[in-house]
Amino acid sequence: AARGERATRRRRRPTDGRAPRPRLDAPRIASSAPRRIAAMVLYDMFIAVKSTVPRSQMADVLRKMGHRVLDAGGVITDITSFGTQTLAYQIRKQGQGHLEANYMQMSFNAKPEVIDVITYDLRTDERILRFLPKKVNKGRPLRSLKEYKARDSRNPTNLQAMAAEDDE
């Protein structure tokens, strides 16, 4: 058969009463089942910034990333700078070789969808040499603070819980 003949052939419909498979470009119908709400997950984001970038621009990178986390309802738990470190091998980025980088780490709690947005921002930023997002708690959601036993006597809501513990 010639190439043109194959392209014009129609797909056969099943004759056993089954519906044909949906096309890939067909719109999907939303299911009526309730969607599961994504839990907050603890992440560590390791970033290697070019050593020629001034400190104010490194803060700008962290500020931009922090705004993404906070806008999505996340919480930043820690920011650490490890300073300028010599790289184990040369990283070529935009036609330049880099033997040193400023290392930073940001820890945050956020929904998994935020990681896609942050990685896109870091991938398109020309100041960044490498980055690595790491999920810390292996997909187990963080427990609510209400689940922890009260220990602080200065908090009036904890006084009731502490009194209940003393009665036991």
Side-chain angles (χ1 to χ4, degrees):
R3 178 177 263 177
E5 291 176 21
R6 244 186 294 173
T8 58
R9 221 181 267 170
R10 290 189 178 179
R11 197 168 101 191
R12 298 182 80 189
R13 296 196 181 244
T15 57
D16 59 355
R18 292 182 300 149
R21 284 192 281 165
R23 293 178 30 190
L24 293 178
D25 59 346
R28 307 248 182 216
I29 299 171
S31 67
S32 60
R35 294 185 65 185
R36 192 174 143 205
I37 298 173
M40 301 278 259
V41 180
L42 182 61
Y43 290 99
D44 278 339
M45 179 70 77
F46 299 97
I47 307 166
V49 182
K50 293 179 182 179
S51 61
T52 57
V53 172
R55 185 170 282 244
S56 62
Q57 288 189 16
M58 287 193 300
D60 183 50
V61 169
L62 291 173
R63 189 178 306 112
K64 187 176 181 181
M65 194 166 68
H67 281 296
R68 294 286 191 187
V69 172
L70 295 175
D71 289 345
V75 178
I76 298 170
T77 58
D78 187 32
I79 297 175
T80 307
S81 175
F82 297 104
T84 304
Q85 303 286 328
T86 303
L87 299 173
Y89 57 91
Q90 183 180 15
I91 295 177
R92 295 195 57 80
K93 192 80 167 193
Q94 297 174 341
Q96 296 177 340
H98 300 277
L99 294 171
E100 288 185 335
N102 292 312
Y103 282 98
M104 298 182 290
Q105 174 190 356
M106 180 184 276
S107 300
F108 56 91
N109 297 328
K111 294 180 181 177
E113 297 85 29
V114 176
I115 294 297
D116 294 333
V117 176
I118 293 174
T119 55
Y120 175 78
D121 287 344
L122 294 175
R123 197 174 339 113
T124 56
D125 193 340
E126 53 192 41
R127 300 171 289 192
I128 306 297
L129 292 175
R130 293 281 192 272
F131 62 92
L132 176 70
K134 182 170 183 331
K135 190 184 291 187
V136 175
N137 56 348
K138 307 289 185 201
R140 293 187 305 267
L142 298 174
R143 295 189 327 182
S144 171
L145 289 176
K146 294 177 183 177
E147 295 177 21
Y148 290 95
K149 290 188 176 184
R151 294 285 176 207
D152 189 6
S153 61
R154 296 173 292 180
N155 188 343
T157 58
N158 291 341
L159 291 175
Q160 298 167 355
M162 291 178 71
E165 282 184 6
D166 292 338
D167 293 340
E168 291 176 356

